[in-house]
Amino acid sequence: MKDKAVKELKTEDWSKWIDYINSPVKGHKNLSGATVKKYKGVVKKFNRYLQLKGYINAEQAILNENAILFVKTKRLEVGRRNDRNYPEFEDLRKLMDYYRGKGTDKDKIGQFTNLYWYTFWVTLYFTGMRVGELIALQWKNIDFDGGDYGTGVIYVVNAINHKESRENVMRRLKANNLSLKNSNSEREITIWQEYGKVVK
């Protein structure tokens, strides 16, 4: 596209550029799907800019945008899941020992260096929740007597994005405007005894 004047651009040129960065070719083979989506957004904005400035008409702009949207973003793997550094139970035990402080009796709560972080890491480990889901958790979303086993259940219905301001989060919660990463993220998680007692 850089070698063409705006007036020479055709509809297929818009999709060709997205196809190019979306393919594992030399120079950008490690681009993630999120990065390609971001670039798609930039190209869409440029297309609208050309329409607003009168370089192209509305019909051409619509054709261009459809061509951009038609390109399905491929999620290129930067690193395979099994190559990532997942925490082992031994790592969790070290965290638990650090935050447990002087608590020695395994059946009782004991004295904690920091009960909040102890609960946080234990719950995160045993539930598999995302950090954003855990910090968005409210008491009304926890039923200690519910679930298929009667041991309790956590209803995951909301998450807080790390880019959200505190004010925006409070506005969302007040309006009961809940947000998750995707539609499959809303779920129920059984509370097991490994972390249920400390959560209570």
Side-chain angles (χ1 to χ4, degrees), residues 81-124:
R81 294 272 178 182
N82 55 10
D83 293 336
R84 299 186 183 181
N85 186 22
Y86 287 106
E88 301 287 341
F89 186 78
E90 180 62 22
D91 299 319
L92 176 67
R93 189 190 63 77
K94 289 178 182 178
L95 278 169
M96 290 166 69
D97 287 346
Y98 177 79
Y99 289 117
R100 186 182 286 117
K102 298 178 180 179
T104 55
D105 191 335
K106 293 182 180 180
D107 297 325
K108 295 182 179 179
I109 295 298
Q111 297 177 358
F112 284 81
T113 305
N114 191 313
L115 180 59
Y116 173 85
W117 285 114
Y118 178 89
T119 308
F120 180 87
W121 288 113
V122 170
T123 306
L124 198 68

Side-chain angles (χ1 to χ4, degrees), residues 4-22:
K4 292 188 177 183
V6 171
K7 63 182 179 181
E8 296 175 343
L9 288 175
K10 298 178 181 178
T11 298
E12 56 264 28
D13 292 321
W14 296 86
S15 57
K16 279 181 182 177
W17 189 75
I18 301 297
D19 271 330
Y20 177 75
I21 67 167
N22 201 30

Side-chain angles (χ1 to χ4, degrees), residues 132-138 140 158-179:
E133 294 171 342
L134 185 54
I135 62 175
L137 194 62
Q138 296 178 286
K140 64 181 180 181
N158 190 33
I160 295 175
N161 189 297
H162 71 282
K163 294 180 181 179
E164 277 189 289
S165 66
R166 179 180 297 180
E167 292 75 17
N168 185 57
V169 171
M170 297 308 294
R171 276 196 301 270
R172 280 206 302 108
L173 292 178
K174 191 174 181 180
N176 201 32
N177 183 14
L178 307 179
S179 174

